[in-house]
Amino acid sequence: QLQLVESGGGLVQPGGSLNLSCAASGASLVNYNIGWFRQAPGKEREGVSCTSHSARTPSERIKYTDSVKGRFTISRDSAGRTVYLQMNSLEAEDTAVYYCAAFTRGTCTIRTSVWYEFWGQGTQVTVSS
């Protein structure tokens, strides 16, 4: 059974960087679509970025929400063990619990989380001076 564990969160000053990891066990991620979501206190969960296991175009393979474009980068290792979210130029508005999630069908999406079957426990990211 696939299990996901996030790590790499912490406290960072505005403008700083963090690299989040989503480590898989029980199965390889090579055939999974992976999404990063975040939820701040009092706000709804929102999609941040995702990567598809198979897609015809770059826009289908990797997606970002507008607020993080140019600052965040999603990647995965070829062995399917880990997916990363490199976060640069962090802002206070990025403060949230960050979750990684996975599903196999189709291509990834950040518009909804309904298709994601497997979820990690989350890692706290706090951006504050």
Side-chain angles (χ1 to χ4, degrees), residues 16-31:
S17 298
L18 287 172
N19 189 20
L20 305 185
S21 297
C22 176
S25 62
S28 171
L29 295 177
V30 296
N31 293 320

Side-chain angles (χ1 to χ4, degrees), residues 41-61:
K43 296 184 178 181
E44 295 183 350
R45 183 171 59 197
E46 66 170 337
V48 178
S49 182
C50 71
T51 176
S52 298
H53 72 275
S54 180
R56 296 181 179 180
T57 65
S59 63
E60 293 179 337
R61 186 172 183 86

Side-chain angles (χ1 to χ4, degrees), residues 36-116:
W36 284 98
F37 294 81
R38 65 186 181 186
Q39 188 164 20
K43 296 184 178 181
E44 295 183 350
R45 183 171 59 197
E46 66 170 337
V48 178
S49 182
C50 71
T51 176
S52 298
H53 72 275
S54 180
R56 296 181 179 180
T57 65
S59 63
E60 293 179 337
R61 186 172 183 86
I62 295 177
K63 301 173 183 177
Y64 299 97
T65 191
D66 287 344
S67 64
V68 309
K69 288 181 178 178
R71 300 189 297 121
F72 291 10
T73 303
I74 191 170
S75 63
R76 63 166 83 203
D77 64 14
S78 59
R81 296 182 62 181
T82 309
V83 174
Y84 304 94
L85 185 67
Q86 177 66 47
M87 306 188 297
N88 299 324
S89 302
L90 284 164
E91 305 167 354
E93 291 75 17
D94 297 315
T95 296
V97 177
Y98 283 71
Y99 301 89
C100 65
F103 75 103
T104 59
R105 183 182 179 89
T107 58
C108 79
T109 179
I110 57 174
R111 295 181 179 181
T112 178
S113 62
V114 66
W115 298 112
Y116 290 89

Side-chain angles (χ1 to χ4, degrees), residues 1-3 24-28:
Q1 183 178 12
L2 176 65
Q3 294 181 328
S25 62
S28 171

